Amino acid sequence: MKSISQLISILIIVVLSIATAGYAVNKVGTTSAQFLKIGVGARAVAMGGAFVAVANDASTLYWNPAGIGRLGKLEAVLMHNEWLADMYFDYAGVTLALGNFGTLGASVSTLNMGEMLVRTLQNPEGTGEKFVAGDVAVGISYARSLTDRFSIGFTGKYIRQKIWLMHASSVALDVGVLFDTQLEGLRIGMSISNFGNNMRMEGDNTLRFYDEDPILYGNNDKVPAYLKTDHWPLPLLFRVGLAFDVIKSPISNLIVAVDAIHPNDNPEGVNLGIEYVLRNMVVFRSGYKALFAPDAEGGLAVGGGFKFRISRVMKLEIDYAYSDYGRLENAQRFSLGLVF
């Protein structure tokens, strides 16, 4: 019990430190693959992203891979997100419990921007050409409960970004742990996401024709050369959080969660969330993201969902989340969960 009290004390200190940290140097725009920061699952998003210690459905593949080690069945999650600036983000994940051998998981996420016109200074309305830009990440996960209260999980993923004739790729690792305390209903979770190689754009859009000596008459003034682009790190993110079952009965359940967030390209913040389930059928959720983070746009999230048992072997969960992004307006997510 002493060790649990110490862990809780450490989390409280972290949260208070974030709340009183003040305005640090802002590193916005210094990392690549920003789509990796888009939250997965309408359930978790409606709780303000405070999910690292909740971690009890297939969407935890994104938030804390250790959570899939507690899932004893085949589960799947599908999500469609109407993202900012007319972009679309989609996610699919599946987990498979292997008994004493642990749990396997697989996931894929895509960000689609659609076709866009090629515009230049000479042709601001378009040259007649079109280009596409999009991102994709594919992950394979494994988790195992080392004891009846402690789980650990890993996700290895391949990341690729593309815009017109340029592309960049990398590999990364997510690591998470989940611990059930001796205090009934209290869980502690931690995860590190996107630990991997830097990314660098390469491709034919950097092709230039170079004249090594423009003064010399008769030399080759069409030497092909490629501009050298810089390397940029991935958006590394550290999460530590608590989740507590305030009410747990056959009629209703109430979960309260808090996460402390430390990214490498933004100020620290705190995510808060609650979830209320009535008769294991109707769900109400609310949360606030990036509390105490300076210059954060919006933060409020709300949502809900329904749970249906459509057969003896399959349960269906439909969830919705609305997230406020201030001057960037809002984002809406729909997700579908299947439990076999």
Side-chain angles (χ1 to χ4, degrees):
M1 195 68 180
K2 182 179 179 181
S3 61
I4 305 241
S5 300
Q6 291 174 341
L7 285 171
I8 296 174
S9 299
I10 290 171
L11 181 61
I12 292 174
I13 291 172
V14 171
V15 172
L16 291 177
S17 298
I18 291 173
T20 58
Y23 287 77
V25 176
N26 198 323
K27 297 182 179 180
V28 172
T30 61
T31 59
S32 57
Q34 289 291 297
F35 78 106
L36 296 174
K37 297 161 59 176
I38 301 175
V40 164
R43 179 190 179 198
V45 171
M47 296 178 67
F51 205 73
V52 71
V54 179
N56 60 0
D57 65 24
S59 69
T60 194
L61 286 164
Y62 172 85
W63 303 96
N64 183 357
I68 70 171
R70 309 290 181 88
L71 305 180
K73 299 180 180 180
L74 174 65
E75 295 197 21
V77 60
L78 304 171
M79 188 195 76
H80 176 71
N81 180 2
E82 297 181 7
W83 193 233
L84 308 173
D86 295 326
M87 294 183 288
Y88 297 95
F89 179 79
D90 295 285
Y91 179 88
V94 62
T95 67
L96 175 63
L98 302 176
N100 295 331
F101 296 98
T103 304
L104 287 176
S107 60
V108 58
S109 56
T110 63
L111 181 66
N112 180 21
M113 305 177 194
E115 283 191 335
M116 291 175 278
L117 294 173
V118 176
R119 303 176 189 271
T120 65
L121 292 175
Q122 294 75 24
N123 298 281
E125 299 301 320
T127 63
E129 296 178 278
K130 292 185 178 181
F131 73 98
V132 295
D135 308 323
V136 63
V138 180
I140 300 295
S141 305
Y142 175 78
R144 186 174 181 182
S145 294
L146 302 182
T147 71
D148 59 342
R149 293 191 293 143
F150 181 79
S151 302
I152 186 168
F154 306 89
T155 297
K157 53 191 174 185
Y158 172 76
I159 304 156
R160 182 178 175 87
Q161 294 190 280
K162 177 179 174 61
I163 177 169
W164 202 0
L165 302 179
M166 301 290 290
H167 67 273
S169 61
S170 180
V171 292
L173 179 68
D174 297 352
V175 181
V177 295
L178 188 61
F179 181 65
D180 279 340
T181 70
Q182 292 179 342
L183 181 59
E184 185 177 357
L186 178 63
R187 300 175 298 281
I188 300 173
M190 289 180 284
S191 69
I192 298 175
S193 301
N194 309 320
F195 180 76
N197 299 328
N198 294 347
M199 299 184 72
R200 181 166 72 93
M201 279 289 182
E202 301 174 295
D204 289 344
N205 287 133
T206 59
L207 177 63
R208 298 292 185 271
F209 292 103
Y210 176 68
D211 187 352
E212 186 174 357
D213 190 351
I215 298 178
L216 181 63
Y217 177 76
N219 72 318
N220 186 355
D221 61 350
K222 298 294 183 181
V223 178
Y226 287 91
L227 300 176
K228 183 179 180 181
T229 56
D230 206 352
H231 290 82
W232 296 92
L234 295 173
L236 188 66
L237 181 61
F238 174 71
R239 299 182 180 95
V240 56
L242 295 175
F244 186 68
D245 295 322
V246 179
I247 301 174
K248 192 171 185 179
S249 72
I251 298 177
S252 62
N253 296 313
L254 176 63
I255 298 175
V256 177
V258 55
D259 286 4
I261 311 297
H262 179 78
N264 68 338
D265 61 352
N266 264 296
E268 293 84 357
V270 174
N271 296 344
L272 302 174
I274 60 171
E275 178 185 67
Y276 178 74
V277 183
L278 180 62
R279 295 190 178 276
N280 201 33
M281 292 180 58
V282 183
V283 188
F284 304 94
R285 304 181 183 99
S286 185
Y288 201 93
K289 183 179 180 181
L291 189 65
F292 307 124
D295 302 322
E297 288 290 341
L300 179 65
V302 294
F306 299 93
K307 299 182 179 184
F308 307 93
R309 181 164 292 282
I310 58 180
S311 73
R312 290 195 306 171
V313 296
M314 186 168 68
K315 182 170 67 173
L316 175 66
E317 300 178 359
I318 301 175
D319 296 303
Y320 167 80
Y322 171 95
S323 302
D324 175 40
Y325 281 90
R327 284 171 290 186
L328 300 177
E329 298 183 356
N330 62 79
Q332 301 183 58
R333 295 169 174 87
F334 297 87
S335 65
L336 180 69
L338 296 170
V339 180
F340 296 91

